[in-house]
């Protein structure tokens, strides 16, 4: 009987040790240069390619602990039970109660989502509706109900006439003080502070604070992402090179 040249046992041992591997490291371990051989072995073991890092990394489903969205991360490398980012976003949108804004989806999957969402919309796999100045991505089948629920949530969160306010900002006095406080902050401090408040509120926090303060929802989302990344340079408002050109620089031209 002919023995398998590239054993499953060796590959399993490699994954047990390192959990996540690149294609090149698997080739080297198996002593082959053939992609077809590697993928044949991976398929038989129930492997999963990362949807982040351009699919560079691989793991086994038996090693992953997926969250309720079907996502698992290892050293900031992200994997999905659905496979690709496009399929992952479609599944999340289809299962949602009230659809998702792009900023919310990006928070869930931890990578940029614009291109994948565009692909889903163009191919007709999901729908989008503009609401509160931003596109809401909804299911083809359940989209009408999702849109209605989201509109209701926005009304409940934003409508002062109904006395339903954001937790912690439940009175006009506090809201007025918030506006005064924001007026003495620079643009960076504003977005970082509101980003922190949004994180405390959880799902939909960016939009709710945008409606309360009048600050663009994307600005608040940016502040939240900056805080999450912990990559903040003290004392600088804009990145180097950002902002308007100085008058002196313009005159030189």
């Amino acid at each position: 009987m002919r023995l398998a040249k590239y054993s499953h046992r060796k590959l399993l041992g490699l994954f047990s040790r390192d959990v996540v591997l690149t294609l090149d490291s698997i080739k080297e371990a198996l002593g082959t240069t053939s992609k077809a051989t590697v993928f044949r072995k991976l398929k038989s073991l129930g492997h999963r390619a990362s949807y982040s890092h351009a699919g560079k990394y691989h793991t086994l489903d038996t090693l992953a602990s997926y969250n309720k969205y079907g996502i698992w991360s290892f050293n900031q490398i992200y994997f999905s039970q659905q496979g690709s980012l496009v399929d992952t976003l479609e599944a999340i949108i289809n299962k949602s109660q009230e659809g998702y804004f792009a900023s919310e989806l990006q928070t869930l999957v931890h990578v940029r989502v614009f291109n994948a969402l565009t692909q889903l919309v163009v191919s007709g796999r999901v729908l989008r509706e503009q609401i509160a100045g931003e596109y809401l991505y909804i299911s083809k089948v359940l989209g009408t109900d999702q849109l209605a629920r989201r509109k209701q949530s926005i009304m409940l969160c934003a409508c002062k006439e109904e006395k339903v306010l954001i937790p912690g900002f439940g009175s006009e006095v506090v809201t007025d003080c918030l506006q005064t406080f924001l007026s003495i902050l620079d643009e960076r401090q504003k977005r970082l502070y509101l980003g922190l408040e949004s994180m405390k509120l959880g799902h939909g926090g960016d939009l709710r604070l945008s409606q309360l303060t009048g600050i663009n929802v994307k600005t608040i989302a940016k502040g939240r992402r900056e805080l999450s990344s912990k990559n903040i340079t003290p004392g600088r408002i804009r990145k180097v090179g950002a902002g308007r050109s100085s008058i002196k620089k313009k005159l030189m031209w």
Side-chain angles (χ1 to χ4, degrees):
M1 181 178 177
R2 184 180 177 185
L3 296 175
K5 184 177 179 182
Y6 308 108
S7 70
H8 288 75
R9 184 178 297 177
K10 188 170 186 178
L11 198 51
L12 284 171
L14 197 61
F15 274 113
S16 296
R17 186 190 72 189
D18 296 337
V19 183
V20 169
L21 302 169
T22 63
L23 199 61
D24 288 339
S25 64
I26 297 172
K27 285 181 181 179
E28 183 179 352
L30 294 179
T32 179
T33 59
S34 170
K35 277 188 178 181
T37 298
V38 170
F39 279 112
R40 187 166 61 249
K41 290 294 181 184
L42 287 173
K43 185 177 180 180
S44 68
L45 294 176
H47 92 294
R48 190 72 60 183
S50 63
Y51 67 76
S52 65
H53 301 81
K56 178 181 178 181
Y57 296 96
H58 299 264
T59 192
L60 302 182
D61 273 335
T62 54
L63 299 175
S65 298
Y66 297 105
N67 64 18
K68 66 179 182 179
Y69 300 104
I71 293 170
W72 175 69
S73 68
F74 181 84
N75 291 341
Q76 296 187 321
I77 303 167
Y78 293 91
F79 299 86
S80 168
Q81 287 178 310
Q82 302 299 324
S84 70
L85 176 61
V86 170
D87 291 340
T88 300
L89 292 174
E90 182 181 24
I92 291 174
I93 292 167
N94 286 340
K95 292 177 182 177
S96 69
Q97 289 295 306
E98 50 185 47
Y100 283 103
F101 292 111
S103 58
E104 295 170 338
L105 288 167
Q106 191 158 304
T107 298
L108 291 178
V109 300
H110 303 277
V111 296
R112 294 183 181 276
V113 297
F114 177 78
N115 290 339
L117 288 174
T118 300
Q119 184 177 333
L120 284 169
V121 172
V122 170
S123 63
R125 292 168 62 179
V126 302
L127 306 175
R128 70 178 186 181
E129 291 287 339
Q130 195 164 31
I131 178 172
E134 193 176 0
Y135 281 117
L136 182 73
Y137 293 86
I138 53 179
S139 164
K140 284 181 65 177
V141 178
L142 304 174
T144 301
D145 292 337
Q146 290 173 332
L147 182 61
R149 291 192 196 101
R150 177 59 70 125
K151 286 181 176 179
Q152 185 178 29
S153 294
I154 290 173
M155 288 179 65
L156 289 174
C157 292
C159 186
K160 289 185 178 181
E161 288 75 14
E162 295 184 21
K163 305 296 182 183
V164 182
L165 302 174
I166 297 174
F169 301 101
S171 71
E172 289 188 13
V173 173
V174 174
T175 302
D176 289 342
C177 288
L178 172 64
Q179 294 292 357
T180 302
F181 175 61
L182 291 175
S183 70
I184 65 172
L185 302 180
D186 61 41
E187 60 186 70
R188 178 172 177 268
Q189 292 167 339
K190 284 180 186 177
R191 70 172 180 265
L192 290 175
Y193 167 68
L194 291 174
L196 177 61
E197 291 294 340
S198 176
M199 292 169 74
K200 289 159 64 177
L201 288 172
H203 179 71
D206 294 349
L207 184 62
R208 295 166 72 182
L209 285 167
S210 175
Q211 292 166 335
L212 180 69
T213 63
I215 293 175
N216 192 289
V217 67
K218 294 181 180 179
T219 299
I220 299 172
K222 181 179 179 181
R224 177 170 45 75
R225 290 195 299 272
E226 287 176 334
L227 287 171
S228 297
S229 71
K230 298 181 176 61
N231 184 22
I232 301 173
T233 304
R236 181 173 290 280
I237 298 175
R238 292 189 175 98
K239 292 182 179 179
V240 176
R244 297 180 180 178
S245 300
S246 66
I247 295 175
K248 183 177 180 181
K249 189 173 182 180
K250 288 181 179 178
L251 291 175
M252 290 175 65
W253 293 94

